[in-house]
Amino acid sequence: MSLREFQRAIADFIASPERCARAMTGFAAETADFDLTERERRRLKAMVSDRRMSANCTLFRVNRLVPIFEVLPLTWRHLGAAAEKELHEFWRQHPDAVVQYGEEASRFGAWLEGRLSAGALPPGPAFDALRFELAAFDLAVTAETPLPGSATAAQRRVVRFDYDHMAVLRPAPGPVTPRRLRKTRWILLEVNDGGLCVSQMG
Amino acid sequence: MRPLGVGVLYNRALTELLLVRALPVDYVEIIPERCWTDRGPGARPRFVEHPRDRDTLKTLAQMYPLVAHGVGLSIASATRFDAEHVQQLGAWRRRFGVRWVSEHLAAVRVTADGVVDHHAGVALPLPWDLELLRLLVPRVRQAADILGCPLLLENGTVLTPVPDTDLTEVEFLNRLTAESPCRLLLDLHNLFVNSVNLGLDAYAFVRGLDLTAVEEIHIAGGNELDGIYLDSHAGACPPEVWRLLETVVPQAPNLRGVTFEFHESYFAGLGRDGLRRELIQAGQVWHSSRPEAGTTQGEIDVAAGVPASDR
């Protein structure tokens, strides 16, 4: 299975600019894990040395970022300066790429929740945004389109907000932190024939 | 099967425009994988439909001929051939009356750390070797059997080509189409991208290619990132892509359609008028060599009141 090993090796290098950099001075050590023929080794060396290899690495990261950023734009916004650091740590712990939007966003969401539970991230409006955006995505892809006025439980989600939901969902420009609420608020997300509808409960 | 004419790759920014027939298109191309979640080999059910996307497709299928453009098969992966994925594509082809099915000549899945279906995150550079050809020929045959129609495979872009291959890309494609039921989706923007980034001669590529195997053409626009030109579907086609289209269309006797692709995140920049201009220009190229096919476009133009200057 020569081609199989070659593809595994290219994929590993594209996923790791650090590995590409190390290979520039120690190619043999960086490829010792792969069962490659001499021809494949020469090919790989030429490709890794190509100045355009860095663009491959960039594209890999862009392709991994897109599902998260598309599904969780508000979460990303409210994470602020922590977003990039959390993303890189998430990628380091989860080197396997997933390009299905919902799955990758859910994995990143679970990662953030874990970081919150572990005390590595402080509570904040990002977690309201996270719950809301994952629920909205889930509804958008899984809910049947209801007949007018007949939404069922499968077409609704209730999301908890600990921060002012208007400021979380429509953040003003600039680094403004939404106000923490004295009492938890519950927001209803519902699919109707026109799309997703958001309303406050109680 | 009769040619269709000019189509557009569906994205959510197009839904309203297509539902009111505001675009001069003869068909709509869909990405089936956007309409389901793939829970992976072994999961039951493996493919979970997105009901609202499915409902949109049902509506579109009543209004336009549909063609399918898959993005998840990874037919050139050495790990394994995903027959279940093809079966799902085939089921959707029959369900929605899809005219033809295309995929990428690509490897995006590898085995890593014991995970068989590890996603590489990008399409891996392919070695144009006899080993890969021997891998693909039976897979294409199997795919065509399952789909009940030939499989079209699309040429890709590459930033770091695999050196010292047995064949050139053109020779490889010609062998693949000669030895299997594979037909080609010739992506002219991908050719242009490779000409910009690698210095590849796109016209030499076209001259060497067996154009009787080309059944669909993709056109698109791109943009630059750090000095690299990308197939980002960022808006209008560059002039070089139009020139390539004008060159290829008259020489591809089995061509069934020309599809314009753009990513929905660029719709604001392209705009409805810009989109119509791309489709109308593609229609002009199409009709200049195939006046008998793709009549829908003319009808839609009239119905939508397109100014004569736009045609």
Side-chain angles (χ1 to χ4, degrees), chain B residues 9 187 189-190 220-223 230-235 261-263 266:
Chain B
L9 182 64
D187 190 313
H189 189 253
N190 285 352
N223 54 13
L230 300 175
D231 179 42
S232 49
H233 299 177
E261 307 176 284
F262 73 96
H263 191 272
Y266 292 100

Side-chain angles (χ1 to χ4, degrees), chain A residues 34-200:
Chain A
F34 303 109
D35 185 16
L36 300 173
T37 64
E38 267 315 300
R39 184 192 198 193
E40 287 166 341
R41 218 168 275 282
R42 284 196 307 274
R43 287 172 158 181
L44 191 60
K45 190 170 187 178
M47 293 166 72
V48 172
S49 307
D50 190 316
R51 63 179 175 81
R52 291 169 295 226
M53 189 65 179
S54 67
N56 276 333
C57 298
T58 301
L59 279 180
F60 171 83
R61 286 169 176 244
V62 168
N63 288 343
R64 287 207 69 181
L65 174 61
V66 165
I68 289 172
F69 195 74
E70 290 268 325
V71 178
L72 305 173
L74 293 170
T75 307
W76 186 266
R77 167 85 189 268
H78 290 295
L79 280 171
E84 196 173 328
K85 177 173 167 285
E86 290 302 318
L87 183 70
H88 283 111
E89 190 57 24
F90 169 68
W91 283 351
R92 200 176 65 77
Q93 302 273 340
H94 298 83
D96 51 321
V98 173
V99 293
Q100 295 201 68
Y101 283 28
E103 188 180 347
E104 184 71 339
S106 294
R107 289 201 319 167
F108 185 58
W111 159 266
L112 292 175
E113 294 279 10
R115 299 277 285 169
L116 176 70
S117 300
L121 270 177
F127 292 95
D128 285 2
L130 176 64
R131 287 189 291 272
F132 177 86
E133 289 181 316
L134 287 178
F137 184 84
D138 183 44
L139 273 183
V141 299
T142 63
E144 300 278 350
T145 307
L147 296 170
S150 67
T152 65
Q155 290 144 357
R156 296 188 183 114
R157 298 287 184 279
V158 176
V159 181
R160 188 187 91 225
F161 274 74
D162 296 321
Y163 292 79
D164 176 11
H165 73 281
M166 293 302 289
V168 171
L169 300 181
R170 291 186 183 162
V176 178
T177 304
R179 173 176 55 89
R180 186 174 175 95
L181 300 169
R182 287 185 188 158
K183 190 178 168 193
T184 294
R185 191 172 289 162
W186 300 93
I187 298 296
L188 176 68
L189 259 172
E190 194 171 46
V191 175
N192 62 29
D193 52 359
L196 282 177
C197 181
V198 180
S199 58
Q200 187 177 332

Side-chain angles (χ1 to χ4, degrees), chain B residues 290-303:
Chain B
R290 284 171 172 73
E292 77 289 355
T295 54
T296 311
Q297 185 171 24
E299 290 165 12
I300 288 175
D301 277 357
V302 171

Side-chain angles (χ1 to χ4, degrees), chain B residues 29-47:
Chain B
E29 183 159 285
I30 56 152
I31 296 177
E33 288 91 342
R34 295 265 163 88
C35 302
W36 65 64
T37 296
D38 182 354
R39 297 168 65 230
R44 292 291 176 268
R46 175 172 168 183
F47 301 99

